[in-house]
Amino acid sequence: MVKVICVANQKGGVGKTTTTVNLSSALAQLGKKVLVIDMDPQGNASSGLGIKKHETEEKNIYHVLIGENTLQEVAFRANHDNLYIATANPDLVGAEIELVDMPQREFRLKQAIQTVAGLYDYVLIDCPPSLGLLTLNSLAAANSFLVPLQCEYYALEGLSQLLNTAGLVKKGINPNLHIEGILLTMFDKRNNLSHQVVEEIKTHFKDKVFGVIIPRNVRLSEAPSHGVSIFGYDPRSIGALMYLELGKEIVAKRKTEVLEQNNVQNQEI
């Protein structure tokens, strides 16, 4: 059964797209078949996985949301055998307006994902840093949401807004939505503030925080300009090692979830 994870934070510059690109690549490295859905009109996840914008002008996630194409028709293979991406470009801005008058407007992405559910182990959705219909579609389609959170002073600002939004989505349109975890990013071990933020987040959110912490790493910053994930750019870097550990943590958590679901089903029988 496919696991759909929405990577979201209303605050920009927290490592959201970096996490989508590198976590999806890590899961592919671990033998999982992965689809990335780029829901950000900037299309950074698309270019970060080596897909040039001119290649996908006629087939991208915009065309899926407005009903012109199926999700499988717009899924391009990225730079790994197990990794595919439904790309985005600035046309996606128009989808926000066009969706307003469409029936089931909050569920367009969910309906699209259901058509490919048997083809992938994981679907990762890269959200825009805003609270419009694109993000709402993403949260409505997801089983869980992962929150990248930078180890800086204003880190909690976007988090509280996102948790409030997710709570409303859970209450109104997606009762199964839950938090996958909070991923601490841009950690600088030389900076006392980074350590303070880590302690504060772990104290407040406890087991909701991933064990892996993503450090500030020059190689992670350089990789997108080459159109590859960190695994294609410098697989021995600390950034690659940490995202691979995150992938393992996600997979282990998924196994536990499946076992718990099976136990519940057996008890009901």
Side-chain angles (χ1 to χ4, degrees):
M1 185 184 296
V2 68
K3 176 72 179 284
V4 184
I5 302 173
C6 175
V7 182
N9 193 322
Q10 288 154 247
K11 191 172 185 299
V14 298
K16 180 176 56 64
T17 299
T18 297
T19 293
T20 304
V21 167
N22 292 305
L23 174 57
S24 63
S25 298
L27 291 169
Q29 295 273 345
L30 293 168
K32 305 300 179 183
K33 196 166 182 182
V34 185
L35 173 65
V36 173
I37 298 178
D38 192 348
M39 288 288 280
D40 189 339
Q42 295 180 79
N44 291 334
S46 304
S47 58
L49 286 172
I51 308 297
K52 294 179 174 59
K53 289 180 181 176
H54 71 269
E55 296 175 341
T56 65
E57 286 180 354
E58 296 180 3
K59 283 187 177 182
N60 56 60
I61 195 64
Y62 165 76
H63 300 99
V64 175
L65 293 173
I66 64 171
E68 288 186 0
N69 288 100
T70 66
L71 189 51
Q72 193 57 20
E73 286 172 343
V74 306
F76 286 75
R77 199 178 84 169
N79 37 34
H80 192 288
D81 287 343
N82 289 332
L83 185 56
Y84 294 77
I85 180 166
T87 64
N89 68 14
D91 290 344
L92 197 51
V93 173
E96 290 262 21
I97 300 167
E98 293 179 60
L99 283 170
V100 169
D101 295 321
M102 287 186 177
Q104 298 282 295
R105 61 185 183 182
E106 300 94 348
F107 301 103
R108 306 288 291 188
L109 184 59
K110 181 177 182 177
Q111 291 163 354
I113 291 173
Q114 287 172 343
T115 66
V116 300
L119 301 177
Y120 301 98
D121 298 305
Y122 290 90
V123 173
L124 266 62
I125 307 171
D126 187 33
C127 289
S130 61
L131 260 187
L133 273 172
L134 297 178
T135 298
L136 188 58
N137 261 266
S138 302
L139 289 169
N143 302 117
S144 63
F145 61 99
L146 185 157
V147 188
L149 197 70
Q150 75 213 81
C151 296
E152 294 180 2
Y153 184 72
Y154 293 111
L156 290 171
E157 277 191 352
L159 179 59
S160 58
Q161 289 179 307
L162 177 62
L163 293 177
N164 183 54
T165 301
L168 294 173
V169 171
K170 182 179 176 70
K171 185 177 180 180
I173 61 177
N174 185 1
N176 296 317
L177 183 68
H178 64 274
I179 186 166
E180 185 72 21
I182 296 169
L183 176 67
L184 294 165
T185 64
M186 304 180 189
F187 177 76
D188 185 347
K189 65 181 180 182
R190 300 164 299 178
N191 188 329
N192 287 334
L193 181 59
S194 283
H195 291 277
Q196 289 171 14
V197 171
V198 169
E199 289 305 311
E200 184 177 350
I201 298 298
K202 285 186 173 181
T203 298
H204 191 72
F205 291 99
K206 300 181 173 63
D207 60 346
K208 297 287 193 297
V209 184
F210 285 107
V212 174
I213 297 176
I214 307 299
R216 283 197 179 276
N217 181 242
V218 173
R219 309 303 269 174
L220 279 174
S221 302
E222 292 172 345
S225 65
H226 296 268
V228 293
S229 73
I230 190 63
F231 300 98
Y233 185 61
D234 189 351
R236 295 184 179 180
S237 67
I238 185 65
L241 295 175
M242 290 301 99
Y243 272 110
L244 189 60
E245 286 303 309
L246 177 63
K248 291 176 181 177
E249 201 168 337
I250 294 277
V251 170
K253 186 175 182 180
R254 180 60 177 155
K255 287 180 180 177
T256 301
E257 288 174 350
V258 171
L259 285 173
E260 288 175 351
Q261 288 170 4
N262 290 338
N263 288 336
V264 169
Q265 289 172 357
N266 290 336
Q267 287 171 5
E268 289 175 349
I269 293 170

